Amino acid sequence: MPHCHGGCAEVDSMTEAVAGESFLMGCISCKRREEVQAHTTVDWHFRATGEEEYAHIFHYDHPHPNTLHEDFNDRLEWQGTMGSKDVQIGAVFIHNVTFNDTGTYRCTFQRTLFLPLDNEYITVEKEVELTVVAKANRELLSVVSEIMMYVLIVVLQLWMIVVLIHCYNKIWAEHEARDARKALRAQKLALKKEPLDSKDNCDGVLLE
């Protein structure tokens, strides 16, 4: 769950990497007091699946990133805070991911806050459980979103059909009502003419 402190947001790392590709290992520790000067170092440790001990694989002390384990030589790239000793983002890229990279990664921030009276030392640790797969799995949210999109399209099409049928029935009803009004007017006109015709016939009889 993300945690926000001012302009910094602590977002959890992704946990699934694809073999042969690069993977961004996220790690964020926001400083609670932005106005205080600080110096922070970041260390990454790795424990392979089935192992008990952690191996120290990476250390960052601005501006020097150092890979410390031969299994990760030329594969770790610093992607954290640049240009400042006040590090809040400790992310690293793992290039050319292998199945042996599956395991637990521990990210450790060693932060020194330079306070007016005395320095304060803070340690923050976070862990990432990494799983390496041969092929990227589609996330559930993506699948649900796609299904909902298709459902929405079908519903909209059905709604359009219903609207068209309703409009057709309405137009047909108006057409029939118009024809009925015409027929009624014609009938009224016929009834008005009929008495006149009868009178004319009567007049003819009287004249005879």
Side-chain angles (χ1 to χ4, degrees):
M1 183 177 180
H3 299 281
C4 297
H5 303 285
C8 177
E10 295 185 3
V11 181
D12 293 336
S13 174
M14 301 293 287
T15 58
E16 184 178 276
V18 179
E21 298 184 5
S22 296
F23 177 77
L24 180 62
M25 190 87 67
C27 186
I28 302 175
S29 174
C30 298
K31 189 175 64 176
R32 297 181 182 277
R33 299 179 61 180
E34 291 293 334
E35 76 281 2
V36 177
Q37 296 294 319
H39 176 255
T40 305
T41 61
V42 177
D43 291 278
W44 280 93
H45 293 77
F46 170 62
R47 184 182 66 191
T49 301
E51 299 290 335
E52 296 183 359
E53 299 294 330
Y54 278 89
H56 195 183
I57 63 173
F58 186 83
H59 176 76
Y60 181 80
D61 189 354
H62 177 77
H64 304 293
N66 292 299
T67 301
L68 305 176
H69 197 284
E70 59 182 8
D71 290 347
F72 293 89
N73 281 342
D74 300 323
R75 295 203 300 130
L76 295 182
E77 179 185 354
W78 177 252
Q79 288 293 310
T81 303
M82 304 284 190
S84 173
K85 294 182 179 181
D86 187 5
V87 177
Q88 298 187 64
I89 301 175
V92 293
F93 251 129
I94 304 178
H95 296 292
N96 191 24
V97 173
T98 70
F99 290 103
N100 291 331
D101 295 332
T102 300
T104 304
Y105 292 80
R106 177 180 293 166
C107 170
T108 305
F109 289 84
Q110 298 283 354
R111 177 171 290 131
T112 303
L113 299 175
F114 301 115
L115 302 176
L117 298 179
D118 195 8
N119 294 339
E120 182 178 348
Y121 302 96
I122 299 174
T123 299
V124 177
E125 289 187 347
K126 299 193 173 188
E127 290 189 351
V128 179
E129 295 288 343
L130 182 64
T131 301
V132 179
V133 297
K135 185 178 180 180
N137 294 321
R138 298 178 66 187
E139 293 186 0
L140 178 61
L141 180 60
S142 175
V143 175
V144 172
S145 298
E146 187 171 342
I147 293 174
M148 291 302 296
M149 179 184 67
Y150 285 121
V151 171
L152 181 60
I153 291 174
V154 173
V155 170
L156 288 175
Q157 289 178 341
L158 292 175
W159 175 251
M160 289 179 65
I161 293 173
V162 172
V163 171
L164 289 174
I165 293 174
H166 174 72
C167 292
Y168 177 80
N169 290 335
K170 186 176 180 181
I171 293 172
W172 180 254
E174 291 178 353
H175 177 72
E176 288 187 336
R178 185 165 59 251
D179 289 345
R181 287 194 298 269
K182 288 182 180 179
L184 182 61
R185 284 197 298 268
Q187 187 177 3
K188 288 182 178 179
L189 289 174
L191 292 174
K192 287 181 180 180
K193 289 181 179 180
E194 188 173 343
L196 294 176
D197 294 340
S198 298
K199 183 178 180 181
D200 290 342
N201 292 333
C202 293
D203 289 346
V205 171
L206 291 174
L207 289 173
E208 290 177 355

